[in-house]
């Protein structure tokens, strides 16, 4: 089956530093990946849509200069949380659509970010 | 706008049947998804409905009524490992559109 990986699975960083999270589709090509954020006991909130070779589309209220998204290849998208603050602590999950099976959306295992 | 409603919490007994309802109001409709999510883990796909009716997959079934903006997930022969959050999600349009998630229903299965 289709596999999406995320790295790292968890990270702890100091306030003010930047953290990069990678999302990879391991056995399929993904022209589109989505980044979600989930706070404890809440649902997934879409942050942005990442399209290979073009700029990401951000949801209302999500700062594009703070959450930098790069989708440089058909198997990799990265989310960089710049100048992280404690309120950015959350569970970040990516999902990827198989280019050849458009109705699919496979989720990565998530990255737990804790900002001290 | 998009609005997806489901109950916040439910409790059911091991071996029983439980139905989790979801109502939605979205600007378009191109499929409804159910996901299971255990605490601290990513969601895993359970079912997908795009046409009216019931889709059965083992112990899990999902129903859709597009005219009523309504779906339910039915879990039979409940097991303790079914304790999790169940997320209802709608895709409003085709193409590269993301899923919009409801807040999820936390199901507790008790002995």
């Amino acid at each position: 089956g289709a596999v999406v990986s995320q790295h790292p699975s968890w990270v702890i960083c100091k306030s003010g530093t930047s953290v990069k999270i990678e999302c990879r589709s391991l056995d399929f090509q993904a022209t589109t990946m989505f980044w979600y954020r989930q706070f404890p006991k809440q649902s997934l909130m879409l942050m942005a849509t990442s399209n290979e070779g073009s700029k990401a589309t951000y949801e209302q209220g999500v700062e594009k200069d703070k959450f930098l998204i790069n989708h440089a290849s058909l198997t990799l998208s990265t989310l960089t949380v710049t100048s992280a603050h404690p309120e950015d602590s959350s569970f970040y999950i990516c999902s990827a659509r198989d280019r050849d099976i458009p109705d699919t959306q496979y989720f990565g295992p998530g990255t737990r970010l804790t900002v001290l | 706008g998009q609005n997806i409603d489901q109950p916040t919490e439910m409790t059911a007994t091991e071996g029983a049947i439980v139905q989790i309802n979801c109502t939605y109001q979205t600007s378009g409709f191109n499929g409804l998804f159910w996901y299971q999510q255990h605490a601290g883990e990513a969601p895993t796909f359970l079912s997908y409905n795009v046409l009216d009716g019931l889709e059965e997959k083992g112990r899990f079934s999902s129903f859709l009524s597009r005219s009523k903006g309504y779906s339910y997930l039915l879990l039979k022969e409940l097991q303790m490992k079914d304790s999790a959050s169940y997320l209802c999600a709608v895709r409003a349009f085709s193409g590269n559109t993301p899923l919009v998630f409801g807040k999820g229903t936390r199901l507790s299965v008790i002995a």
Side-chain angles (χ1 to χ4, degrees):
Chain A
V3 177
V4 176
S5 70
Q6 278 185 243
H7 177 79
S9 55
W10 60 270
V11 57
I12 301 173
C13 68
K14 292 182 179 179
S15 188
T17 60
S18 294
V19 175
K20 180 187 283 189
I21 302 170
E22 294 184 348
C23 176
R24 291 182 186 273
S25 56
L26 298 186
D27 50 2
F28 64 96
Q29 294 187 320
T31 50
T32 303
M33 291 183 174
F34 303 101
W35 286 97
Y36 294 85
R37 180 167 53 183
Q38 186 177 34
F39 293 106
K41 296 187 178 181
Q42 295 188 24
S43 191
L44 283 76
M45 296 299 296
L46 179 68
M47 299 176 67
T49 301
S50 170
N51 297 301
E52 186 266 338
S54 64
K55 291 183 179 180
T57 304
Y58 290 82
E59 294 300 298
Q60 194 171 11
V62 178
E63 300 174 57
K64 62 180 181 181
D65 294 330
K66 180 169 180 62
F67 298 99
L68 302 178
I69 291 173
N70 184 277
H71 194 153
S73 77
L74 286 171
T75 59
L76 173 65
S77 175
T78 61
L79 168 68
T80 301
V81 183
T82 61
S83 186
H85 291 284
E87 56 265 32
D88 298 324
S89 298
S90 187
F91 193 48
Y92 291 86
I93 306 174
C94 73
S95 70
R97 295 190 64 187
D98 188 327
R99 181 188 62 174
D100 298 325
I101 311 175
D103 284 335
T104 57
Q105 189 167 159
Y106 303 104
F107 283 88
T111 296
R112 174 78 57 193
L113 170 64
T114 302
V115 184
L116 302 177
Chain B
Q2 326 278 37
N3 189 42
I4 300 174
D5 285 319
Q6 48 182 134
T8 304
E9 293 186 6
M10 297 183 72
T11 301
T13 306
E14 190 176 17
I17 299 173
V18 70
Q19 178 175 311
I20 303 175
N21 296 324
C22 171
T23 57
Y24 63 89
Q25 292 173 307
T26 53
S27 49
F29 182 80
N30 193 249
L32 186 141
F33 298 74
W34 283 95
Y35 285 84
Q36 180 192 62
Q37 186 180 27
H38 286 98
E41 298 179 11
T44 55
F45 171 79
L46 290 178
S47 69
Y48 167 64
N49 294 69
V50 67
L51 299 176
D52 289 351
L54 188 68
E55 294 282 341
E56 297 187 75
K57 190 184 292 185
R59 293 190 299 117
F60 292 23
S61 303
S62 58
F63 172 82
L64 174 68
S65 169
R66 288 173 298 170
S67 62
K68 296 181 179 178
Y70 167 70
S71 173
Y72 67 72
L73 178 70
L74 193 71
L75 292 78
K76 303 176 186 176
E77 301 170 15
L78 280 174
Q79 302 174 9
M80 300 299 283
K81 67 178 182 179
D82 297 330
S83 294
S85 285
Y86 291 85
L87 308 176
C88 174
V90 173
R91 184 168 60 212
F93 303 102
S94 61
N96 291 333
T97 52
L99 300 182
V100 178
F101 284 84
K103 291 189 181 339
T105 298
R106 276 197 304 283
L107 174 66
S108 299
V109 180
I110 58 176

